[in-house]
Amino acid sequence: MLKAMHTKIQPIDPENPNLTDLQEAADLLNAGELVAFPTETVYGLGANAFDATAVAKIFAAKERPSADPLIVHIYSLAQLDQITASVPPLAWELAHRFWPGPLTLILPRHPTNIPPSVSSGLDTVAVRMPNHKIPHALFKLGDLAVAAPSANLFTRPSPTTAQHVLDDLGGRLPLILDGGSATIGVESTVLDLTQEPPVILRPGGLPREALTAVLPHITYTPRYTNLVETKAASPSPGTHLKHYAPNVALRLYKGETATVLAQMKRDTAVLTASGQRVGLLIAAEDVAHFESTAVYIAQLGSLNDLSEMARTLFAHLRQLERADVDIVLTRLFSDEGLGLALRDRLIRATEGQIIPV
């Protein structure tokens, strides 16, 4: 049973973090407590990565199963020797090219420094360097490597603002650093370098195309693990089938665009006639198809800017919850660029229940 505590929100300038304002957070992390902080992807729930007791608090606060590993966040490449058993040349090449940034690398875990719980008992470890001034300044101030998943309850939509963190975890941690909205809005891309060829385990904020331009031989096969059926650990977070799900029914359609939109409009009419309150999670170009319907519309953005759609996804899922709708209809979009991460999150949010049209 978690003991409730007061959760403080500390505003921090994301462009010029004041070290005095960050000192409390650094002290808390070094004392084995939890702190939520912004990154360019989503907000993270952090603990000292070398402290097994502190790491256990992450799993308790999130109600996260032990089979879902954490990512260790760093501020300097020099920290890799403390976190990994070895760093292959390819990892150095990718780190110099893409860090700081939304790329997580799976590497051999340091056998003594990093508690096995960080990696769900596996001999690998996930590592990344955020491209955000607040965590960089915080980790450097406290001389920290920080284990952190997204700062939300397990299976919920990830948080892209401090308010989202408070909504899910208020009373479960002492401090949230508020650095405004995340600029990417989906989690990092996870690349496993312990396999040959390297494998993308989770699509995310670094588009697949950016990696294949450097490593054309890398592979990606969607991985959807049913946590109810298996307790086996994965080297990457975010591979369970149920993830990113709002507290409202979500219906996901797949097919040719005009056919899908026509089916969504028919289903909207049927659901509305039965007394259900319908929400739509759609692109800007889709809105015209539903102008005559009495529904709540959450507009992700333009199909010409999939990065905007990905950036606003989780915020809109939470917005639809607050709108008090009974069911949300949405569709699969392009898998180019950040569209691949967008598709992945929608599939997991519906537990893989896709309606072909």
Side-chain angles (χ1 to χ4, degrees):
M1 179 67 69
L2 284 171
K3 184 178 179 180
M5 65 181 76
H6 171 69
T7 299
K8 173 183 175 182
I9 296 183
Q10 175 67 56
I12 305 288
D13 183 348
E15 295 302 321
N16 187 27
N18 187 306
L19 294 185
T20 300
D21 292 337
L22 291 176
Q23 189 63 58
E24 179 182 5
D27 292 343
L28 284 168
L29 288 169
N30 275 313
E33 299 297 335
L34 303 181
V35 172
F37 56 90
T39 77
E40 77 278 24
T41 57
V42 299
Y43 273 68
L45 178 65
N48 186 335
F50 304 116
D51 184 340
T53 301
V55 167
K57 294 179 180 180
I58 293 177
F59 290 93
K62 283 179 58 75
E63 301 176 18
R64 181 185 184 94
S66 61
D68 203 19
L70 311 177
I71 295 173
V72 177
H73 295 69
I74 61 175
Y75 69 90
S76 168
L77 291 179
Q79 294 175 284
L80 284 174
D81 288 337
Q82 303 170 345
I83 296 163
T84 68
S86 61
V87 184
L90 180 57
W92 288 117
E93 178 184 346
L94 294 172
H96 284 294
R97 182 181 291 265
F98 294 114
W99 283 358
L103 173 65
T104 292
L105 300 177
I106 304 295
L107 298 167
R109 176 174 59 85
H110 195 289
T112 56
N113 288 352
I114 298 297
S117 58
V118 169
S119 302
S120 301
L122 300 177
D123 59 5
T124 56
V125 63
V127 191
R128 95 171 181 101
M129 183 187 296
N131 186 20
H132 197 293
K133 293 180 180 179
I134 290 177
H136 179 87
L138 171 63
F139 303 164
K140 186 175 182 180
L141 178 65
D143 191 22
L144 289 155
V146 174
S150 55
N152 56 293
L153 290 173
F154 185 64
T155 76
R156 294 271 295 134
S158 295
T160 55
T161 69
Q163 184 61 51
H164 296 162
V165 181
L166 188 66
D167 291 343
D168 274 18
L169 300 180
R172 299 180 179 221
L173 75 164
L175 182 62
I176 301 169
L177 300 179
D178 184 354
S181 298
T183 55
I184 292 179
V186 291
E187 298 81 356
S188 60
T189 300
V190 179
L191 182 66
D192 189 351
L193 295 184
T194 67
Q195 300 187 53
E196 182 54 45
V199 177
I200 295 175
L201 299 181
R202 179 182 74 183
L206 183 69
R208 173 177 53 180
E209 294 86 345
L211 285 171
T212 55
V214 180
L215 301 171
H217 60 298
I218 63 173
T219 64
Y220 168 64
T221 301
R223 177 173 177 169
Y224 302 113
T225 302
N226 191 333
L227 190 61
V228 175
E229 297 175 358
T230 179
K231 301 296 182 182
S234 166
S236 169
T239 60
H240 294 307
L241 180 58
K242 183 177 181 180
H243 235 75
Y244 320 112
N247 292 327
V248 61
L250 192 62
R251 187 179 292 183
L252 179 62
Y253 297 79
K254 176 183 179 180
E256 194 274 327
T257 300
T259 305
V260 165
L261 292 174
Q263 185 63 53
M264 289 173 64
K265 188 170 184 178
R266 288 192 293 269
D267 289 354
T268 295
V270 171
L271 291 164
T272 302
S274 70
Q276 295 196 63
R277 298 180 299 274
V278 178
L280 297 173
L281 182 66
I282 54 179
E285 290 83 349
D286 297 344
V287 173
H289 294 268
F290 300 94
E291 286 180 339
S292 61
T293 57
V295 295
Y296 184 95
I297 294 178
Q299 185 177 307
L300 283 169
S302 172
L303 294 170
N304 295 321
D305 189 355
L306 290 169
S307 62
E308 179 190 1
M309 296 178 71
R311 182 170 61 249
T312 61
L313 172 64
F314 292 136
H316 280 305
L317 288 175
R318 289 175 177 267
Q319 175 187 332
L320 286 159
E321 290 179 337
R322 296 192 299 273
D324 194 30
V325 297
D326 298 307
I327 188 169
V328 175
L329 310 187
T330 188
R331 69 182 181 94
L332 286 179
F333 303 99
S334 168
D335 64 356
E336 297 180 355
L338 288 185
L340 183 63
L342 178 66
R343 289 169 67 97
D344 175 80
R345 301 322 187 256
L346 286 173
I347 291 170
R348 295 183 196 279
T350 57
E351 296 186 64
Q353 300 300 308
I354 306 173
I355 300 172
V357 179

